[in-house]
Amino acid sequence: MVQRAMDPLILIVEDEPPQAEMLRYNLESKGFRTVVATGGEEGLLLVEEEDPDLVILDWMLPDLSGIEVCRRLKTKPRTKTLPVIMLTARGEEGDRVRGLDSGADDYVVKPFSPGEMVARVRAVLRRSHPALADQLLQYADLTVDLAQHKVLRGGKSIHLGPTEFRLLRTLMESPGRVFSREQLLDKAWGRDIFVETRTVDVHIRRLRKALNIEGAQDLIRTVRAVGYAIDAGAA
Ligand code: CA
């Protein structure tokens, strides 16, 4: 799986602030990260800079039209598989066809309910990035259910603190990959927060203790002077 920060990042390209804010609020409350562009050119720039997992693209924008933005994304090799959900006003049926011609993956007509939009985002992500949408990570006898925030080992529920949960999630997204302490800090604490790297060791110790119930195999590998990985060949 491609390595990325924890929650799917949604780029919202929408020039009407209340609409953009409503989308941002509802997506973030469902665990997505968002970034907002107010025009087509800015949207294209943010695709390059932020590498989003999905784009919600308004049809009517002040500079480039949504269709033109979509067409440009779908013709570049680097962005052609980036999923796009197009937004348009009710009754633009001719537009609907043109929108799909431009390569949009789905289409939502305004006004829409926030719940409908979140469902569409999940559905489109599930098609393009199953691991991001299904929200279930599995490795050896460990299961992390991201939607329900639950961890199971061998079918038994394990209670983790929020930091241990985020650490485990990061490790489980790329089994076998060794993460440095700095990388784990970025992913489990966030890039702008200053925490000493040895704090990572403290939380890894807690995570290990919680996971290794009743003499179960240690699934966390410590790589000296480098960092940590989740690895069944760890012992
Ligand atoms: Ca608009």
Side-chain angles (χ1 to χ4, degrees), residues 13-16 19 38 58-62 87 110:
V13 186
E14 167 63 86
D15 58 312
E16 292 152 66
Q19 189 81 25
T38 55
D58 188 31
W59 182 271
M60 295 289 283
L61 294 167
L87 292 179
K110 294 178 183 177

Side-chain angles (χ1 to χ4, degrees), residues 63-228:
D63 50 357
L64 287 179
S65 73
I67 293 179
E68 181 55 28
V69 172
C70 189
R71 201 170 278 140
R72 290 194 195 179
L73 291 174
K74 296 292 178 181
T75 51
K76 277 192 215 163
R78 207 173 94 80
T79 53
K80 96 179 162 208
T81 59
L82 174 62
V84 174
I85 298 178
M86 194 80 93
L87 292 179
T88 191
R90 189 171 293 284
E92 295 172 324
E93 291 304 316
D95 288 350
R96 186 182 181 98
V97 175
R98 278 169 55 210
L100 293 172
D101 276 353
S102 72
D105 298 84
D106 200 359
Y107 212 90
V108 175
V109 178
K110 294 178 183 177
F112 51 85
S113 73
E116 180 193 355
M117 177 51 92
V118 171
R120 298 284 194 101
V121 166
R122 287 218 170 102
V124 171
L125 276 179
R126 189 169 294 120
R127 288 203 296 269
S128 61
H129 267 306
L132 280 177
D134 287 349
Q135 307 202 304
L136 210 60
L137 300 172
Q138 281 172 313
Y139 185 70
D141 58 352
L142 265 181
T143 302
V144 178
D145 183 332
L146 301 173
Q148 297 196 49
H149 226 266
K150 276 187 187 162
V151 178
L152 298 172
R153 178 148 199 198
K156 283 186 187 163
S157 182
I158 289 174
H159 178 77
L160 294 181
T163 303
E164 286 73 39
F165 185 88
R166 290 194 299 270
L167 274 172
L168 178 61
R169 175 182 182 165
T170 302
L171 295 171
M172 292 272 290
E173 282 175 342
S174 303
R177 176 184 155 159
V178 181
F179 288 89
S180 69
R181 289 167 179 81
E182 288 77 13
Q183 287 170 329
L184 290 172
L185 276 177
D186 274 357
K187 289 174 184 300
W189 276 263
R191 216 158 271 195
D192 303 322
I193 293 173
F194 182 78
V195 181
E196 288 187 68
T197 50
R198 66 164 183 255
T199 306
V200 174
D201 301 333
V202 173
H203 288 275
I204 285 281
R205 209 147 48 224
R206 284 187 201 157
L207 175 60
R208 217 178 221 142
K209 196 173 163 202
L211 292 180
N212 297 348
I213 41 171
E214 294 162 19
Q217 184 198 354
D218 187 1
L219 292 175
I220 297 177
R221 179 156 70 105
T222 304
V223 183
R224 276 186 74 138
V226 182
Y228 300 98

